[in-house]
Amino acid sequence: MDLLNTLVDKGLRRELPTRDEALAVLATSDDDVLDVVAAAGKVRRHWFGRRVKLNYLVNLKSGLCPEDCSYCSQRLGSKADILKYTWLKPDQASQAAAAGLAGGAKRVCLVASGRGPTDRDVDRVSDTIKAIKDQNEDVEVCACLGLLSDGQAERLREAGADAYNHNLNTSEGTYGDITTTHTYADRVDTVQKAHAAGLSACSGLIAGMGESDEDLVDVVYSLRELDPDSVPVNFLIPFEGTPLAKEWNLTPQRCLRILAMVRFVCPDVEVRIAGGREVHLRTMQPLALNLANSIFLGDYLTSEGQAGKADLEMIADAGFEVEGAGEVTLPEHRLTAGADCGAHAEAGCGAHADAGCGSHEGGGVCGSVKVQAEQEQPAEARTDLVAVRRRGAGTDLAPNA
């Protein structure tokens, strides 16, 4: 049985691949990328059919963040020419959310820059959640406000929040190279607080910051151990005016391999293509729908995305369908098992399972898929595709949805 057949078999059983297997996916050649997509697509379709969940971002407070995250255009000291504004009022945020919901989104993600919310900020967001749900009873609301203090997740849940997002972003071993004003452990703690409060945990990563394959596997295995319901995969948008402005490390083929690896390691969770898909996947975005079952509609926090109409056409043309408000995203076993580690059959929730694949003793990778012998060539810098958001929340212009 070759590598991809092994990974499909494990994905259908929710069994954790070995680290060697996950690394082998990232090391496959461009000649084999369609085979990799086809294999991971079997796992995606088994758990999620051909549904694509649409999510819509509302940036409640933009810029002027005191944290120094190197990838972020809103960071301390950023010279990126982005929109900067303080908190939107609840009715402004509700109006912004309405545009995304009219475009087919079933989840609204409320995001605010900053280290973490004050209690007054939680009150503001709670009022915003209520305003949105008063107008749209069935909408899912996810909050993303930074590091949470004790009791804040519970207050957001009481206000009607369904989920909380806080990304791990990169591996624990390299986290200090990306951010110095808070720690990897701080991020893990916030995801755990969201879980404990009964919120659906959402946590993902950013690829393309100069990390190694081992770093990517490390962070995805850590996410598997944390057991979020959704894993957003961001591809770095190298904003001018940030420390990572010169990091152009991704090709469309590498992005597809990363998404496939995430799907194999997290087979039954909502894998979301997040920021940077237009910049790095480009014309290969439709192929990525075979790997991920969720995308953001329209624009991002500080950058413009593909036109919302083009997103919907892409989904239809690729043979997928937009997930309806009445449809349940997650497989039934995740809804009933919650955060129980027993939901992961056979392999458990261990972040480092190095027992090898099947009958191949010693942990060696089994398979006939061609592995690249040389390091990938640097990607072309496509600065023309990085557009700062000038419409929607915080402006007088209509949003992209």
Side-chain angles (χ1 to χ4, degrees):
M1 181 180 292
D2 65 16
L3 170 68
L4 295 179
N5 286 335
T6 298
L7 289 170
V8 170
D9 190 45
K10 287 187 174 185
L12 301 184
R13 300 199 309 264
R14 293 179 284 135
E15 182 180 343
L16 185 67
T18 68
R19 287 178 56 80
D20 282 345
E21 289 166 349
L23 287 166
V25 173
L26 297 178
T28 52
S29 74
D30 286 352
D31 289 341
D32 288 316
V33 73
L34 290 180
D35 293 330
V36 173
V37 170
K42 292 178 182 178
V43 180
R44 181 254 201 264
R45 289 191 301 277
H46 177 80
W47 296 112
F48 299 97
R50 303 194 70 83
R51 293 175 286 116
V52 178
K53 181 176 181 178
L54 298 182
N55 309 268
Y56 192 71
L57 283 166
V58 177
N59 197 354
L60 297 177
K61 179 168 73 78
S62 182
L64 306 175
C65 182
E67 302 299 287
D68 69 353
C69 306
S70 300
Y71 51 83
C72 185
S73 60
Q74 305 183 74
R75 74 187 295 273
L76 178 69
S78 170
K79 294 179 174 58
D81 185 26
I82 61 167
L83 291 170
K84 299 180 179 69
Y85 53 86
T86 190
W87 289 94
L88 298 181
K89 292 181 171 56
D91 62 327
Q92 293 173 313
S94 180
Q95 185 176 1
L101 296 172
K106 64 182 292 186
R107 172 175 286 192
V108 172
C109 303
L110 302 175
V111 188
S113 63
R115 179 180 177 85
T118 64
D119 286 340
R120 183 182 178 189
D121 293 337
V122 173
D123 289 338
R124 284 192 182 100
V125 176
S126 295
D127 290 342
T128 298
I129 293 169
K130 291 172 183 173
I132 292 172
K133 291 214 164 188
D134 282 347
Q135 298 296 319
N136 307 275
E137 184 178 354
D138 296 330
V139 68
E140 297 176 12
V141 176
C142 178
C144 177
L145 312 174
L147 301 172
L148 292 175
S149 301
D150 289 344
Q152 291 183 328
E154 287 78 5
R155 289 176 59 198
L156 290 168
R157 184 76 183 98
E158 290 169 6
D162 300 283
Y164 195 85
N165 166 262
H166 200 61
N167 296 328
L168 297 187
N169 290 329
T170 192
S171 68
E172 183 174 13
T174 59
Y175 195 83
D177 297 332
I178 299 298
T179 304
T180 66
T181 47
H182 60 267
T183 67
Y184 180 90
D186 291 332
R187 287 188 170 267
V188 170
D189 178 67
T190 286
V191 177
Q192 291 173 335
K193 280 184 168 68
H195 253 317
L199 292 166
S200 176
C202 172
S203 188
L205 64 141
I206 304 173
M209 298 190 290
E211 70 283 336
S212 66
D213 286 0
E214 288 76 10
D215 291 321
L216 285 171
V217 170
D218 282 348
V219 67
V220 177
Y221 273 56
S222 295
L223 288 166
R224 165 88 181 225
E225 188 172 31
L226 277 175
D227 198 30
D229 289 325
S230 54
V231 174
V233 179
N234 296 276
F235 301 110
L236 176 71
I237 302 176
F239 271 97
E240 288 296 328
T242 65
L244 298 184
K246 305 303 180 186
E247 295 287 342
W248 289 87
N249 304 305
L250 299 170
T251 64
Q253 291 83 3
R254 178 154 176 81
C255 293
L256 291 171
R257 284 190 285 268
I258 291 168
L259 287 167
M261 185 270 288
V262 175
R263 174 56 71 198
F264 285 130
V265 176
C266 304
D268 59 339
V269 307
E270 178 190 341
V271 175
R272 183 181 310 139
I273 318 173
R277 66 176 162 92
E278 299 89 345
V279 177
H280 296 293
L281 280 162
R282 301 193 287 277
T283 58
M284 296 181 78
Q285 290 180 69
L287 272 180
L289 295 177
N290 290 279
L291 308 169
N293 62 297
S294 180
I295 64 170
F296 280 109
L297 177 73
D299 293 336
Y300 302 98
L301 297 176
T302 61
S303 65
E304 291 187 355
Q306 186 167 278
K309 183 174 183 289
D311 284 338
L312 298 176
E313 290 175 348
M314 176 182 72
I315 291 168
D317 289 348
F320 292 88
E321 58 188 26
V322 173
E323 185 173 287
E327 294 181 277
V328 177
T329 301
L330 296 173
E332 185 177 357
H333 66 266
R334 288 198 66 85
L335 300 174
T336 56
D340 179 14
C341 277
H344 298 295
E346 299 185 44
C349 282
H352 300 287
D354 293 304
C357 53
S359 62
H360 293 259
E361 297 180 357
V365 174
C366 53
S368 59
V369 174
K370 191 186 337 181
V371 174
Q372 292 181 4
E374 298 179 1
Q375 192 168 1
E376 249 182 310
Q377 292 298 310
E380 177 190 358
R382 291 298 305 271
T383 55
D384 59 305
L385 295 177
V386 179
V388 174
R389 181 174 68 83
R390 301 295 185 200
R391 59 197 176 192
T395 78
D396 294 326
L397 299 177
N400 171 28

